[in-house]
Structures are given as C-alpha cells and as structure tokens.
Amino acid sequence: MYRSHVMVCAGTGCTSSGSAPVAEAFEREIASNDLAEEVRVIRTGCFGLCALGPIVVIYPEASFYSMVKAEDVPEIVSEHLLKGRPVTRLLYDETVDAAGTITSLEDTPFYKSQMRIALRNCGVINPENIDEYIGFDGYQALGKALTEMTPDEVIETILDAGLRGRGGAGFPTGLKWKFASGKRGEVQKYVCCNADEGDPGAFMDRSILEGDPHVLIEAMAIAGYAIGASEGYVYVRAEYPIAVKRLQIAIEQAKEYGLLGDNIFDSGFSFDLQIKLGAGAFVCGEETALMTSVEGKRGEPRPRPPFPAVKGLFQQPTVLNNVETYANVPRIILLGADWFKSIGTEKSKGTKVFALGGKIKNTGLVEVPMGTTLRTIVEEIGGGIPGGHKFKAAQTGGPSGGCIPAEKIDTPIDYDNLLAIGSMMGSGGLIVMDDTTCMVDIARFFLDFTVDESCGKCTPCRVGTKRLMELLDKITEGKATREDIDKIDELASFIKENSLCGLGQTAPNPVLSTLRYFRDEYLEHIDNKRCPAGVCKALLQYKISPDKCVGCTLCARNCPVEAISGEVKKPHVIDQDKCIKCGVCMEKCKFSAITKG
C-alpha cells in the first residue's frame, strides 16, 4: 500500500511541455530517498488545464502543481513527500488563497462547474494499466450487458437515456443502433469509431484515448453486442501517436484478459477490434468517407441513402459514433438511463466536452452539463478574457459551426439552442475571441480550411467554396462593394443546399453567422476600407503621432523598407506607399507614438 501517489500528466500537451523528464526526475528522487515502497509515480492523462503543463498532482492531499520543471522535483520530494510541506510557490495559484491556505482543486472556478462523465478517468488512472481501469468500475458495464441484458434491452437503455452523437449532428445514438440491429447473426456487421477529430482547436477525443482508452473498447464491445457485430474499427489520425500507442496497449491487454476476442464473459458473444490510421483528411470525419478510407480507398463521401446502418463498411450494416459518444455508454449501462437523462436539458441529455481555446485565460479541456451557459464557460471556468480586453464572440463547431456574439453569452449551450442562433455543437471546439479579433478574418480563416480540405468530389463544394473565398478576399483587401454581400448570401445558400456531404453543407456557416451578427464590421471593410480590429493587413495604416514622437529615429533605423523619414528630435512620418505593414516600427517605438488602424 502506497501512502502517496504522484500523478504526472502524460497527455500530448504536457508531454510537449516536458512532462516526461519530470516523471523520470520523480522516479530518481524517490528512489534516492528510499521512498520507492511508499510513493508511486503514475503517468496519467489530461487534467484539463492544458496551459499549465507540465502538471503534477500528489495524493492523498490532491496538491496541484503547475508548470513543473525537472529541476523543481528535488524540492517537491524533499519538502512535500518527506516533510509533508507542499511547495506553495509551485502550486496552481487558484488552489492557494490570500492567507496561504491550500484548497481543493475541485473547489476552483475551473472545476466546480464541471461534471465529468466522458472524462471521469482522465488524470485519475494510468491509461496503460487495465487493472486501474477495472478498479474504477471498468468493464462492469460490459459484464452487465452480456450477462443480464438482451441486445434489445441495451439499445432501449441508450434510447431512453437520450444520448445523442457528440461528433456533430447530434443524431440519437440508440436510434442509430436500432436501425442497424436487424438480422442479428444472419449478416456480418461492424462497429466503427470516428477518432479522426479534424476541427481546428479540437482535442476532446484525443484526450480520452490518451487518458482512458479502455472506455472506448468497452463501449464498442457493448455496441457490437447490441447490434450483432463481431468486428470493430477505430479510425484515428496518425498524428496522434500517444493516443494510438495507448489504444494499442489497451486492446492487447483487453485480449489478454478475455475482454476482447471469443466468448467474452462466457456469454457466447465474440468481438474483436482493429485500429485504422487516417492521414489527416478532414473530409474523413464524414461517416461514409471514413468508411471508404477504412476499406483502403480514397476517402470520399457517398450519396445517402442508403445510410451506413443499412449499407456501411464493406457494404454491410455499420454503426459509427465518435469517441466521446462511446465514452458515455458504459456509465449509462451501469447507472441506468434515468441517471443520465437527469443531467442536461429536455432535448440534450448528459454532458458535453469542449476544447476551450483562443483569447481565454484557462485554455484546456472542460466537461459541463448540457444547458450550461456560454457565460459560465467563458467567465467562470475559462477565467475570462486576459489583458483587459472584452469578450466579442465564441466559435463553436469549428469550420462547420458559427460565431456566437457577446449579446448571446447567456445562451444555454445545447444542440437546439446553438442551431437557433446560427451555430452548432460540432465535435466540441470552442474558440473564444476578444475585441482585437476581426470577424471577417475569422470567417475567412475557417473557410480557407474548408477549401483546403474539400475532397473535390462535388462541384458546389469544390468550386463554390473557392468562389466564396474570393469574395471574402475582396472584402479583406478593401476591393469589395455592397453587392458582394448579396453574392455571398446567394452563393452560400447554393453551397449548403447542393453539396454532397456535411463538409460542403456546413462550410458557409462561419461566413453566414458573422454576417448575421457582425454585418457592420463587413460594411466598415467595404465602405470605409478599414478593419476596425486592425487585423486585415491590406487595410492597415501605421501612423506616427507628432505629439508623441520625440524624433529618436529608432523606428526609421529599424524599418526594413526605409518607409519612415524625419530629422533627429523632430516628428517622423511614414510613407504609406512604401510601408509593407510589418509592424516593426510599432514594436520598436518606446514612446507609444505609433498606432495602427
């Protein structure tokens, strides 16, 4: 029995910040201080506060250390583990009050409004140890399903719980399973997992795979039992090496324990799982394109119907859900439908995981009950906007979603409310923007991503998004007219209505939502040739205030194109025809005499 557990985050974020040397330093110091039989080091998954890595949490005190370096470890071992005195200077500041009293991490604003279901084991267990997963009720749901429930009862439980797909459209998970459940034992069926996660700024599924891979294996086996499938495929992008490694380890362990393979729990049910690596094509997040890619073909969408539940992978009935959707399944089977549907809103049950990024203090991974307001996520959990700036908008749903303006900050976040205001849930990326953000530029950024990721199969998406992009370029370059806005509306509607798959059908959403809520900003670009946020380079002008300029010549000496002239100790001027708008002059000026606008 260990008296202390040192939990070192080994997710992608903390690993990139140097958590591996920190864990190794702990192991060395613990051994050199003869603590190896008393203290255990565990490499675990993401704790959520990604910007604070490397993160170390020491139990039983639950002391939360942030931005730990290998050179800090001897002090932590000496003071905390040997003398029982936490190293206050390294603790996360919100766990230490003004009097120096250390509070629980769960009482911090970041955590206290959260409710972890899909992320419940992330940061808690060693993801490479099946025994730890089993110790936290792991595989009990699979055992219950196989020994106490019929396949139809499993489906009815998921239906009754109201679980909807967490990958984008929010289709009822139980209904999808029910459609695929016919002719059990008569035809080959498949269970697939979309772990491709291509939205910019989205890392929910990756973090679950890195921190709790067995939950996916258990859930997919339950889905296989429910629909009568004996094989499953996890489609995960190759750029997720930590997730792929841990999932492979978990699959091998599950097979060793008899939890994958033949005759699981002596029930007569057999199920096996394979990993398929994707090459990072965004369009392969669309279900038919994903299945085409798994089959070894070019990842392009197919017309629907027939839907995958009827004719999917290898032309056989197939169920496809994303990682987060599956991560809810074992808890629903174990705790019941009534427990799950008591969380959330009337039409959106349970919780939702968001990857919180952008202009926000607490960048990271959060899980909140459906119906939590955007204000709670941004101001309480996210810690607000840094630098004294104001909240301007939040983008949900990535390239497929839309912008939520500041006046809608009290909107409860669920599937229907987001659609009503011109956005969508998507997979869960939530990008926060402040008053320094240009909304035209944001729309252009997401559309540019979609243009690059279009598979090119259908003309409305292949050509239409490029023409839409050209119109946005005209606006950001100050070459557009008001008639171009009418063209945008017309073209966007055509693309949405005529594209083959969800990529093209949702590509105009960021443009339409920013036009809806920030039309004045578009018109400022068009009518006054001015970017209010000072972002669009073609519309920028750097100017020197004669009242503040002391003629130090620092700006002129650093200008790469010699666009600044003036005498020593006299105000300087910028030749706008020569200026390349690089901003070096503004960076070098020590008297705040240069502004842009």
Side-chain angles (χ1 to χ4, degrees), residues 542-545 555 564 574 585-586 589 592-596:
Y542 286 87
K543 296 181 179 180
I544 299 175
S545 170
C555 59
I564 303 174
I574 300 175
C585 57
M586 192 172 178
C589 182
S592 301
I594 302 177
T595 58
K596 68 176 180 178

Side-chain angles (χ1 to χ4, degrees), residues 345-371:
T345 62
E346 182 181 354
K347 295 182 179 180
S348 299
K349 305 299 184 183
T351 59
K352 182 71 189 78
V353 180
F354 290 100
L356 193 58
K359 306 295 181 66
I360 193 77
K361 179 186 175 183
N362 296 329
T363 300
L365 209 61
V366 305
E367 184 173 3
V368 295
M370 292 280 195

Side-chain angles (χ1 to χ4, degrees), residues 316-595:
Q316 299 299 317
T318 305
V319 155
L320 172 72
N321 293 109
N322 79 330
V323 178
E324 185 187 345
T325 308
Y326 283 122
N328 285 279
V329 168
R331 302 306 286 172
I332 293 172
I333 296 299
L334 206 55
L335 301 179
D338 289 342
W339 163 77
F340 188 79
K341 66 184 180 182
S342 69
I343 305 161
T345 62
E346 182 181 354
K347 295 182 179 180
S348 299
K349 305 299 184 183
T351 59
K352 182 71 189 78
V353 180
F354 290 100
L356 193 58
K359 306 295 181 66
I360 193 77
K361 179 186 175 183
N362 296 329
T363 300
L365 209 61
V366 305
E367 184 173 3
V368 295
M370 292 280 195
T372 300
T373 65
L374 182 60
R375 183 185 298 276
T376 298
I377 296 173
V378 172
E379 296 183 357
E380 294 181 22
I381 298 173
I385 314 298
H389 294 285
K390 294 181 180 179
F391 172 75
K392 185 173 185 178
Q395 172 85 6
T396 63
S400 304
C403 287
I404 305 171
E407 60 263 30
K408 302 288 185 181
I409 195 171
D410 290 309
T411 300
I413 302 298
D414 64 17
Y415 292 101
D416 300 311
N417 283 328
L418 288 181
L419 287 174
I421 61 175
S423 189
M424 65 182 295
M425 187 76 72
S427 60
L430 201 161
I431 310 298
V432 178
M433 292 161 272
D434 66 13
D435 50 19
T436 65
T437 304
C438 172
M439 303 312 294
V440 184
D441 182 66
I442 282 293
R444 188 191 175 284
F445 167 79
F446 282 110
L447 186 62
D448 183 50
F449 177 86
T450 308
V451 169
D452 284 344
E453 293 294 339
S454 172
C455 74
K457 185 172 185 177
C458 71
T459 304
C461 180
R462 182 183 70 250
V463 179
T465 55
K466 288 182 179 179
R467 299 292 86 85
L468 196 58
M469 186 72 180
E470 289 167 1
L471 290 169
L472 288 184
D473 284 338
K474 284 180 68 177
I475 295 174
T476 58
E477 293 168 2
K479 300 175 182 177
T481 65
R482 289 199 174 206
E483 287 72 24
D484 288 315
I485 289 185
D486 296 330
K487 292 179 183 177
I488 287 174
D489 283 327
E490 182 180 359
L491 182 55
S493 296
F494 180 83
I495 295 169
K496 287 175 70 72
E497 292 170 7
N498 294 282
S499 292
L500 175 62
C501 79
L503 186 147
Q505 292 162 11
T506 60
N509 285 352
V511 181
L512 293 175
S513 68
T514 51
L515 257 178
R516 177 179 178 181
Y517 294 114
F518 301 96
R519 184 172 288 260
D520 289 347
E521 202 162 319
Y522 276 81
L523 294 178
E524 187 73 12
H525 283 69
I526 294 170
D527 295 342
N528 299 323
K529 314 302 179 189
R530 175 178 171 270
C531 175
V535 172
C536 297
K537 196 171 182 180
L539 303 181
L540 279 182
Q541 276 198 351
Y542 286 87
K543 296 181 179 180
I544 299 175
S545 170
D547 296 332
K548 293 183 178 180
C549 180
V550 298
C552 70
T553 75
L554 194 59
C555 59
R557 284 183 280 131
N558 283 278
C559 178
V561 292
E562 299 181 347
I564 303 174
S565 60
E567 297 180 22
V568 177
K569 295 185 179 181
K570 290 185 179 181
H572 284 43
V573 293
I574 300 175
D575 185 337
Q576 298 299 332
D577 292 331
K578 289 184 178 180
C579 179
I580 59 172
K581 303 174 178 63
C582 64
V584 170
C585 57
M586 192 172 178
E587 292 174 9
K588 297 297 182 180
C589 182
K590 297 181 179 179
F591 302 95
S592 301
I594 302 177
T595 58

